[in-house]
Amino acid sequence: MHSIFTDEKDLQGMREAGRLASEVLDYIAPLIKPGISTGELNRLCHAYMRDVQKTIPAPLNYQPPGYPPFPAAICTSVNDVICHGIPGDKVLKNGDVVNLDITVITQAGYYGDTSRMFNVGEISIMAARLNQITFESMWLGIAQVKPGTRLGDIGYSIQSHAENAGYSVVREYCGHGIGKVFHQDPQILHYGKPGTGETLVEGMTFTIEPMINAGRREIRTMPDQWTVKTKDRSLSAQWEHTVLVTHTGVEVLTWSNGTPKAPDCVGPLQYRPNPVAA
Ligand code: MF3
Ligand code: CO
Ligand code: CO
């Protein structure tokens, strides 16, 4: 099942969901410092969603087939954790890099899904370069989005940027259609060949969320059945936006005041932020 939204009501619903997901990251960003635990970040984000936004954290008790229920409101993925890190007692220390992945469900029933990398104190030049290349890869993928683009065009632009920098693309997890459900078709692979795969049409909403490893692409899933790490213990980075295919191009739905601006390699006219963001 794909969501292809044509009603203005649905588009406004998706814009609200995207803005709210992004605003959770704006809220928590200044609190990510050495000494705070991932569990505390989870509690703060959950309280903000519940008490301020009146949104529901989609990850909490989320249980795809073959998985135990996810036990927290957000994912916190530190250093060599690729994705789906479970918040807990882990205390962040100077030099760590952490991805916070937020998915909210609004009262109207729409999902917004976004993640960013955060530096804990001062990070290494190596870690900063991985974060930057991953950020650029996501944006190069976003810049491909318009009616007529093939999914392989998105995957190719992400993969070639990451691999040209000497990094590898995780294959086991991908972007996804999103709307009034969390995960649905199409799968948005972060690798591929130009001119292949499904063709984008106006009204599609999906995520682009590349996971890029500094070393090899292989993964290792921890005994908790959720946490995914790099097999070679190299650093991994991820950025995620939810986007809408518009008549002429792309609208980034997960946009708020604190959203980091697109990098220089993406021209300013190739995207338009969520117009609902204040
Ligand atoms: N937010 C993740 C994504 O981008 C999914 C997390 S599922 C969870 O698709 F259960 F781990 F939270
Ligand atoms: Co997602
Ligand atoms: Co996500």
Side-chain angles (χ1 to χ4, degrees):
M1 215 319 256
H2 289 58
S3 284
I4 297 174
F5 289 125
T6 50
D7 286 10
E8 198 54 34
K9 172 175 154 291
D10 289 321
L11 299 179
Q12 289 302 105
M14 288 301 288
R15 289 180 180 125
E16 179 184 43
R19 176 178 54 81
L20 289 166
S22 189
E23 284 178 352
V24 178
L25 292 170
D26 295 353
Y27 156 72
I28 202 69
L31 301 166
I32 303 174
K33 288 189 283 214
I36 196 163
S37 71
T38 55
E40 188 59 19
L41 295 173
N42 174 66
R43 280 187 288 280
L44 290 164
C45 288
H46 192 182
Y48 186 80
M49 289 184 247
R50 187 188 51 223
D51 302 335
V52 178
Q53 296 189 326
K54 319 288 183 200
T55 59
I56 292 169
L60 187 60
N61 297 318
Y62 181 60
Q63 187 172 21
Y67 286 80
F70 191 80
I74 70 171
C75 299
T76 53
S77 301
V78 183
N79 296 340
D80 63 339
V81 178
I82 296 169
C83 64
H84 303 166
I86 299 175
D89 296 337
K90 186 178 178 63
V91 174
L92 297 177
K93 62 179 192 306
N94 187 56
D96 284 343
V97 286
V98 60
N99 174 282
L100 263 61
D101 193 338
I102 306 291
T103 311
V104 302
I105 315 171
T106 63
Q107 292 190 26
Y110 297 93
Y111 287 68
D113 187 4
T114 186
S115 81
R116 301 180 199 159
M117 297 300 297
F118 296 94
N119 303 347
V120 183
E122 184 107 6
I123 67 168
S124 72
I125 287 169
M126 258 172 41
R129 179 172 178 268
L130 175 64
N131 291 350
Q132 179 65 20
I133 295 288
T134 306
F135 181 67
E136 291 170 0
S137 290
M138 172 188 70
W139 271 106
L140 290 168
I142 292 171
Q144 292 289 320
V145 175
K146 60 179 185 313
T149 290
R150 311 282 296 266
L151 287 181
D153 301 331
I154 297 175
Y156 177 77
S157 51
I158 293 168
Q159 180 181 15
S160 45
H161 191 61
E163 291 182 355
N164 285 340
Y167 299 146
S168 64
V169 177
V170 172
R171 308 293 175 105
E172 287 83 354
Y173 300 91
C174 58
H176 48 92
I178 183 169
K180 295 194 107 169
V181 296
F182 197 168
H183 293 112
Q184 63 186 148
D185 287 338
Q187 293 195 58
I188 313 296
L189 303 183
H190 303 117
Y191 57 93
K193 296 198 193 326
T196 66
E198 199 177 323
T199 302
L200 300 185
V201 298
E202 184 178 354
M204 291 173 77
T205 48
F206 55 87
T207 72
I208 297 180
E209 49 179 303
M211 284 144 272
I212 306 297
N213 296 348
R216 296 173 56 84
R217 69 175 177 84
E218 285 78 15
I219 69 167
R220 205 160 46 104
T221 303
M222 296 297 102
D224 64 25
Q225 297 180 64
W226 274 108
T227 307
V228 180
K229 291 190 180 182
T230 57
K231 193 173 179 186
D232 65 6
R233 310 218 167 206
S234 63
L235 282 180
S236 186
Q238 178 177 30
W239 288 81
E240 175 174 24
H241 272 307
T242 301
V243 302
L244 164 71
V245 183
T246 65
H247 186 59
T248 50
V250 63
E251 181 177 315
V252 177
L253 294 170
T254 37
W255 197 276
S256 60
N257 288 330
T259 301
K261 300 296 173 284
D264 291 340
C265 58
V266 179
L269 298 177
Q270 290 178 281
Y271 73 97
R272 145 168 99 88
N274 176 348
V276 176

